[in-house]
Amino acid sequence: EVQLVESGGGLVQSGGSLRLSCAASGFAFRSYWMTWVRQVPGKGLEWVASINEDGSESYFVDSVKGRFTISRDNAKDSLYLQTSSLRVEDTAVYYCARAMGGTVGDYWGQGTLVTVSS
Amino acid sequence: IVLTQSPATLSLSAGERATLSCRASQSVSRYLAWFQQRPGQAPRLLIYDVSNRATGIPARFSGSGSGTDFTLTISSLEPEDFAVYYCQQRSNWPPTWTFGQGTKVEAK
């Protein structure tokens, strides 16, 4: 069974940093692109970042470029999102997802909440 | 590419047909997907590549369209189908992904 479990969310002050993690199991993690998607509570979905199978390529939504980095450890079946210079508007539930073709994800975790206070 | 979904809210009864629209600001490749999100849950992939049902998705869900106009149809609403639906596309280069703002299907 495919499982994705996010962790690392929490309350942080504006300008701070957090490292989000996503533990994957039940599939060949090293063979898939992976994605982070976020959702402000009560609002819509926003793609944040994606990384290719071996970590050599990564892509970001414009609003987080230069502040967030995405990485992976295929030996540990884990995906990461390092966030820095956090802003109040980064407050959201952050989901990791296993990318499939042109979709952001065919399997999703349950999300981890990041709250940025002013 | 901006995706605009309509209507914002669709009020229907169980058993009725739901037709959701997703319009792109410019022509989209075949990478058009639909997701369902129930309250308190993560999104669930329904349709990928315009018209292919994801694993385990019932046949009452179907996708169609091309170019800039795409449709998700639920042939006969079940109680569990009342949820928010998002369309999503992937641009070819550089790879970026965008979502529509969502359509809420609510019980009338």
Side-chain angles (χ1 to χ4, degrees):
Chain A
E1 179 192 5
V2 172
Q3 285 199 323
L4 297 167
V5 180
E6 302 93 337
S7 61
L11 177 62
V12 62
Q13 283 197 324
S14 180
S17 302
L18 277 177
R19 188 195 198 203
L20 307 184
S21 299
C22 173
S25 61
F27 67 101
F29 180 75
R30 66 182 63 243
S31 298
Y32 287 85
W33 282 62
M34 296 295 294
T35 301
W36 287 98
V37 174
R38 68 184 178 184
Q39 184 172 36
V40 174
K43 302 297 183 182
L45 300 169
E46 180 182 40
W47 167 73
V48 175
S50 293
I51 189 167
N52 72 338
E53 295 93 333
D54 65 5
S56 61
E57 299 177 38
S58 58
Y59 303 93
F60 300 89
V61 67
D62 285 347
S63 59
V64 308
K65 283 179 182 175
R67 301 189 298 121
F68 290 12
T69 58
I70 186 173
S71 62
R72 63 192 297 160
D73 185 336
N74 286 343
K76 295 183 178 179
D77 289 348
S78 293
L79 175 72
Y80 306 101
L81 185 70
Q82 178 68 52
T83 69
S84 62
S85 302
L86 283 164
R87 305 166 180 168
V88 171
E89 55 265 34
D90 294 318
T91 294
V93 174
Y94 285 73
Y95 295 100
C96 75
R98 185 182 83 168
M100 187 198 77
T103 79
V104 295
D106 58 347
Y107 286 92
W108 297 60
Q110 282 305 302
T112 187
L113 176 63
V114 172
T115 303
V116 184
S117 67
S118 56
Chain B
I1 297 177
V2 176
L3 298 178
T4 302
Q5 292 186 240
S6 62
T9 304
L10 199 51
S11 298
L12 294 168
S13 301
E16 289 193 295
R17 182 184 190 88
T19 303
L20 287 67
S21 174
C22 177
R23 177 162 290 177
S25 58
Q26 56 186 278
S27 186
V28 168
S29 68
R30 64 187 176 92
Y31 294 136
L32 193 288
W34 292 91
F35 293 85
Q36 175 195 67
Q37 188 176 32
R38 296 171 177 147
Q41 296 187 14
R44 172 193 182 199
L45 178 65
L46 299 175
I47 301 288
Y48 66 94
D49 292 355
V50 179
S51 60
N52 295 289
R53 276 190 302 278
T55 303
I57 301 304
R60 64 180 181 273
F61 292 92
S62 63
S64 62
S66 64
T68 60
D69 290 301
F70 300 89
T71 301
L72 174 70
T73 301
I74 311 171
S75 59
S76 178
L77 282 164
E78 297 288 339
E80 62 268 27
D81 299 337
F82 293 101
V84 180
Y85 293 83
Y86 296 93
C87 59
Q88 172 254 300
Q89 68 86 34
R90 196 202 93 165
S91 300
N92 283 329
W93 190 261
T96 56
W97 291 256
T98 53
F99 288 93
Q101 82 279 19
T103 289
K104 181 179 182 180
V105 178
E106 66 176 19
K108 190 173 184 179

